[in-house]
Amino acid sequence: MLAKRIIPCLDIKDGQTVKGTNFVNLRSAGDPVELGAEYSRLGADELVFLDITASYEKRKTFVELVKRIAQNISIPFTVGGGIHELKDVDTLLSAGADKVSVNSAVLKNPDLIGEISKNFGAQVCTVAIDAKFENGEWTCFLNGGRVPTDRKLFEWAHEAQERGAGEILFTSMNHDGVKQGFANDALCTLSESLNIPVIASGGAGTMQHFEDVFKQGKADAALAASIFHFHEIGIPELKQFLRERGVVVR
């Protein structure tokens, strides 16, 4: 059994870490460079940095900030937001990112998934999917959860895999910031039907939620933000809790 990964997520707006509920009502959570360094020190397995308004504001990710974070951490580092073409991927990898997370751009231009995989390797390409459950199905959204599309979660995740995605980062917009647990049924369906890793996002509130997402949701990794940023759960304590319950973690 591969070790499950614990991944803090830094949502960045105007150079600061922010966190909201259901993708709105954002509040400041601190300096991203300091937070990243702290998570690296505390034993996080990876770090995800998302420039959450880059696509909406039609601009590129803060490359200088990416460089500063990369210089202060010693764990794998995924960067997303405002990535539209191969040149953007090259720029971020050169700045210190290990992987990129693409969402809006690949919904509009699915061929970009294959281009990234072919040029940089599938392990570099994380396809992020923001989806909301309504009217009995999961609908995918663009631009940081602002714009609904006609794409549905499961068929889009399968297409992304076929096109060369290295992993899927699925955020349930219904569960985001609510702290009532992850979307384990949908995650289980994804995990059992895909051959690539699935990262769960949206809903972490207690240590038990992490045990549930690994055992019931069958996720390969769990991502969380506010519970780590505001010191509600410590990463060393969380890993110890999971080990005691038979979950393999690093």
Side-chain angles (χ1 to χ4, degrees):
M1 182 196 217
L2 285 175
K4 304 294 189 180
R5 291 173 283 152
I6 304 296
I7 307 177
C9 178
L10 305 178
D11 290 330
I12 310 293
K13 184 175 189 289
D14 302 326
Q16 285 293 304
T17 312
V18 295
K19 189 64 195 113
T21 303
N22 305 126
F23 281 46
V24 294
N25 302 322
L26 301 176
R27 59 177 172 149
S28 176
D31 177 78
V33 179
E34 291 176 11
L35 279 171
E38 179 75 350
Y39 290 137
S40 180
R41 188 181 66 77
L42 288 172
D45 297 303
E46 296 183 21
L47 190 68
V48 169
F49 166 112
L50 298 175
D51 190 338
I52 59 171
T53 56
S55 292
Y56 176 64
E57 294 169 1
K58 296 184 171 58
R59 59 170 173 76
K60 306 297 186 185
T61 303
F62 292 128
V63 176
E64 288 308 311
L65 188 54
V66 171
K67 283 182 183 170
R68 286 171 53 217
I69 294 173
Q71 286 163 359
N72 285 277
I73 64 174
S74 57
I75 52 177
F77 182 30
T78 300
V79 178
I83 298 166
H84 300 291
E85 55 189 346
L86 282 181
K87 188 172 73 176
D88 299 331
V89 179
D90 193 41
T91 299
L92 292 169
L93 295 178
S94 298
D98 298 286
K99 300 188 259 189
V100 295
S101 170
V102 283
N103 187 337
S104 299
V106 294
L107 275 165
K108 295 173 184 171
N109 173 24
D111 290 341
L112 182 59
I113 298 171
E115 291 170 16
I116 294 171
S117 288
K118 192 173 92 191
N119 283 273
F120 303 105
Q123 79 285 349
V124 165
C125 185
T126 298
V127 171
I129 304 177
D130 298 332
K132 182 185 283 187
F133 189 74
E134 48 192 5
N135 303 320
E137 56 188 0
W138 288 95
T139 299
C140 302
F141 278 67
L142 289 166
N143 293 3
R146 290 175 178 82
V147 182
T149 70
D150 60 357
R151 301 305 302 261
K152 303 306 173 190
L153 169 63
F154 301 114
E155 53 95 3
W156 172 230
H158 275 270
E159 182 177 331
Q161 173 180 271
E162 295 309 305
R163 287 179 175 274
E167 60 187 358
I168 298 293
L169 167 54
F170 162 51
T171 301
S172 164
M173 294 173 62
N174 307 73
H175 295 72
D176 177 68
V178 181
K179 300 183 182 177
Q180 297 296 310
F182 293 89
N184 290 325
D185 290 347
L187 283 160
C188 184
T189 300
L190 279 175
S191 298
E192 289 186 335
S193 60
L194 296 175
N195 301 317
I196 56 176
V198 174
I199 303 171
S201 169
T206 67
M207 294 193 196
Q208 184 62 50
H209 292 153
F210 285 87
E211 181 184 354
D212 292 344
V213 79
F214 292 136
K215 290 183 175 177
Q216 298 168 21
K218 301 189 177 178
D220 298 278
L223 178 147
S226 62
I227 59 163
F228 295 144
H229 301 339
F230 300 118
H231 308 292
E232 294 164 34
I233 292 178
I235 291 172
E237 293 79 9
L238 173 59
K239 287 193 167 186
Q240 184 59 32
F241 172 90
L242 291 169
R243 284 187 198 104
E244 289 170 357
R245 281 151 183 80
V247 177
V248 180
V249 291
R250 292 175 185 166

